[in-house]
Amino acid sequence: MTYHSFGSIVLAVGAATAAVAVASPAAAQDTTLAATTQEPVRRGIQAGDVLVRVRAILVAPNERSGGILPAFPGERVRITDSVMPELDVTYMATDHVGFELIAATTKHHAEGRTGTTGSIGKLASTWVLPPTLTAQYHFSPRGVVRPYVGAGVNYTIFWNEQASTGLEKAVGSTSVRMKDSVGWAAQVGVDIDITPKVFVNLDVKYIDIDTSARLRTTAIGTQSVRVSLDPLVFGIGLGLRL
């Protein structure tokens, strides 16, 4: 190898080394930039989010009953509890304010408490559908634990009302009708994240429900009774942020 050839090789290697040295910081900078510009995982909620929850609920009426008129003015009725699934959807209008609509239907029985109707026991049954719209305030929208309170209105529909076998044995064929109700509602609850999009929900509602039941019987004519159900609704379930 001549001195000229050896010099050419040294110059070529030097140039290549310099090129690598210049390129390496640029490549490292590009990698760092890509890492820093990757979108972080978002937790919590914000304006525009839609939250879907599926809960198991216990509907526990705090009933107050008038007398069964005109035949049994001194006798009252009670309303049984019910457990059912429930679906609700919340739209977040702002980071803190959302609007929730719930949909669930539960079956309840009206029972006599004392006297003649108490000896019969179950008097009638009905399904209750109380669509409820509440405005909620979420205290910590970016938190893993997000408590909220809410207030709103409900329209309660009573459907598939039926007299019990025991009542019809006592007074003959009976038809039952219950008046729909409009009332207010209040709630308190909390969402607890278990993944960035999935959370556990605990919720308690109070729903104002007042109705009157009319029973048209064969043996004792038409009877009526006013009942305030006013249930507490206890819910636990899972939610998904869409």
Side-chain angles (χ1 to χ4, degrees), residues 209-223:
I209 302 176
D210 299 314
T211 187
S212 59
R214 186 175 298 274
L215 297 85
R216 290 185 171 87
T217 73
T218 301
I220 58 173
T222 298
Q223 306 295 317

Side-chain angles (χ1 to χ4, degrees), residues 222-235:
T222 298
Q223 306 295 317
S224 65
V225 57
R226 294 187 59 83
V227 183
S228 295
L229 279 72
D230 301 339
L232 287 172
V233 183
F234 302 92

